[in-house]
Amino acid sequence: MPDHYVPKFSHKDWIDHQHRVQAGGEDGLNSRFHQLEAEFAGLAQNQINPIIEELGGAVQTRHLTLAPALFPDEDSPVWIQGVDMVEKPLLAAEAHGFMSIVLPDGVRVKSLLVTGNKSAGTLTVALKRRPIGNEGVGAEPLVTTNVLQTPENATGVVRIENESHRHFLTIDITGAANGTARVFCVQIAYE
């Protein structure tokens, strides 16, 4: 944080009919205006610009990294919950679940990364939102990926709006009869 501002320029009053105003010299108009220029330049360089850079400088990407802890999705087949992962039941062709997500209000979601493994089926992980009053028809997908270990950048601006929406992840696998599937981690990058 910059030091407190201490003015360096101090105007000495001229007195009518006593002082002759002149352009040159140590106390002339040119000298005084150059002192004002130096004052404003110092103020900009040492006070204003550092604050502007701090407030609007490079936006830092942050990450929310979660081990999935899923709730059942209505009457659908559920994931088997482990300590730090979820796994599709071996004989099930599909599994569905969801979990609440809390991100800082107003941030922009950049990507969604999922780690795990699967031998069959289509895995889909989606960050969704729904109005807090449950108005509307279903959840609005914000970011979706169906690729393990590869981030997919969001298209457009995806902003978290906690005042009007609640946010959650859905993790679904379909078409995976007799196959294996595990999800170890979901990571949301935001700024």
Side-chain angles (χ1 to χ4, degrees), residues 16-83:
D16 287 339
H17 308 292
Q18 255 186 355
H19 294 105
R20 279 186 71 176
V21 178
Q22 57 187 29
E26 188 176 307
D27 198 31
L29 284 176
N30 290 337
S31 173
R32 289 189 184 194
F33 280 118
H34 288 305
Q35 289 173 32
L36 282 173
E37 283 177 334
E39 181 79 16
F40 290 135
L43 185 60
Q45 180 180 352
N46 301 320
Q47 301 296 133
I48 298 170
N49 292 342
I51 292 170
I52 291 172
E53 288 172 13
E54 189 172 316
L55 292 176
V59 177
Q60 185 177 12
T61 299
R62 301 198 183 277
H63 298 87
L64 176 63
T65 305
L66 304 164
L70 301 179
F71 292 97
D73 185 3
E74 298 178 12
D75 294 329
S76 303
V78 299
W79 292 88
I80 297 171
Q81 186 69 54
V83 173

Side-chain angles (χ1 to χ4, degrees), residues 60-129:
Q60 185 177 12
T61 299
R62 301 198 183 277
H63 298 87
L64 176 63
T65 305
L66 304 164
L70 301 179
F71 292 97
D73 185 3
E74 298 178 12
D75 294 329
S76 303
V78 299
W79 292 88
I80 297 171
Q81 186 69 54
V83 173
D84 63 349
M85 61 170 260
V86 291
E87 182 174 18
K88 180 193 74 64
L90 186 57
L91 299 177
E94 59 187 69
H96 306 276
F98 72 94
M99 66 186 281
S100 290
I101 296 296
V102 178
L103 289 166
D105 193 40
V107 299
R108 187 175 75 86
V109 175
K110 292 179 60 179
S111 65
L112 175 63
L113 171 71
V114 181
T115 62
N117 56 45
K118 68 181 180 75
S119 63
T122 302
L123 176 73
T124 304
V125 179
L127 173 63
K128 297 181 178 181
R129 73 179 181 185

